[in-house]
């Protein structure tokens, strides 16, 4: 079976809570869930599947720890690994940058040799624009815990089924 890591950056705890929900649904042990600030290329080398989570801040910015996290991932051998994304944003107050962080990480890793999985149809969301939407799909799971927390559990379940891991 493929070994899966969940790697997240969380400032207020919201994305960390989502990471824990995902780990619980996938039966991923705590020791395979990492804060992005604590990863190394050696950590990454142990896994075949990486589920990367970030909140989006301000006008479409990454969670602070992800700036260094992207550098660590770029120094790692991602060739042949499968990667998906999950993240939180505010689709009402920041409708023009909803979950942009996912798109930023995706674009940074696009030429890494990894295969990207877990795209989500954007049509059921209300927002104006997002750097994480390509051809009508989010590059991963976009969640709005501020305004649509009632949809979170269903969205997580559907996304997990699409991963086929």
């Amino acid at each position: 079976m493929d070994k899966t890591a969940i790697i997240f950056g969380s400032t207020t705890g919201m994305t960390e809570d989502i990471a824990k929900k995902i780990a619980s649904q996938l039966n991923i042990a705590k020791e395979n869930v990492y804060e992005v600030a604590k990863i190394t290329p050696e950590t990454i080398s142990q896994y075949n599947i990486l589920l990367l989570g970030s909140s989006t801040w301000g006008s479409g910015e990454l969670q602070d720890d992800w700036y260094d996290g992207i550098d660590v991932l770029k120094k790692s051998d991602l060739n042949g690994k499968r990667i998906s994304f999950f993240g939180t944003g505010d689709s009402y107050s920041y409708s023009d940058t909803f979950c942009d962080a996912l798109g930023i990480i995706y674009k940074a890793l696009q030429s890494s040799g990894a295969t990207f999985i877990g795209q989500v149809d954007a049509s059921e969301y209300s927002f104006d624009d997002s750097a994480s939407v390509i051809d009508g799909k989010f590059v991963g799971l976009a969640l709005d815990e501020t305004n649509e927390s009632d949809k979170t559990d269903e969205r997580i379940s559907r996304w997990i089924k699409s991963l086929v891991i």
Side-chain angles (χ1 to χ4, degrees):
M1 180 175 187
D2 288 325
K3 193 167 179 189
T4 302
I6 297 174
I7 301 167
F8 68 91
S10 188
T11 301
T12 64
M14 196 176 293
T15 306
E16 179 178 8
D17 290 344
I18 297 299
K20 289 176 181 177
K21 282 185 177 190
I22 292 168
S24 175
Q25 286 197 31
L26 286 171
N27 294 316
I28 294 173
K30 278 193 273 193
E31 59 269 13
N32 298 313
V33 180
Y34 299 89
E35 291 180 42
V36 69
K38 297 179 180 177
I39 63 168
T40 65
E42 293 75 25
T43 307
I44 300 303
S45 70
Q46 300 173 52
Y47 298 94
N48 308 94
I49 300 169
L50 305 173
L51 305 179
L52 309 177
S54 179
S55 50
T56 298
W57 284 92
S59 296
E61 299 170 24
L62 285 172
Q63 188 273 342
D64 288 342
D65 296 329
W66 268 106
Y67 291 100
D68 290 337
I70 286 174
D71 290 339
V72 171
L73 287 168
K74 283 182 168 184
K75 292 175 185 170
S76 303
D77 180 8
L78 300 179
N79 196 39
K81 294 190 186 296
R82 290 182 285 162
I83 296 176
S84 192
F85 307 94
F86 65 94
T88 56
D90 183 335
S91 65
Y92 292 15
S93 299
Y94 297 96
S95 182
D96 58 339
T97 59
F98 178 57
C99 286
D100 273 5
L102 305 181
I104 294 168
I105 300 168
Y106 168 80
K107 287 177 182 136
L109 303 179
Q110 203 169 5
S111 62
S112 67
T115 300
F116 298 99
I117 60 174
Q119 294 80 10
V120 173
D121 187 347
S123 66
E124 73 172 61
Y125 293 80
S126 294
F127 65 100
D128 291 321
D129 197 20
S130 178
S132 64
V133 174
I134 298 172
D135 296 329
K137 293 188 176 194
F138 285 103
V139 295
L141 176 63
L143 298 169
D144 183 345
E145 287 293 272
T146 305
N147 304 294
E148 297 182 342
S149 60
D150 59 315
K151 297 179 180 180
T152 295
D153 290 339
E154 179 191 336
R155 286 176 171 167
I156 290 172
S157 294
R158 223 176 326 141
W159 176 70
I160 285 173
K161 288 176 187 167
S162 78
L163 297 177
V164 191
I165 56 176

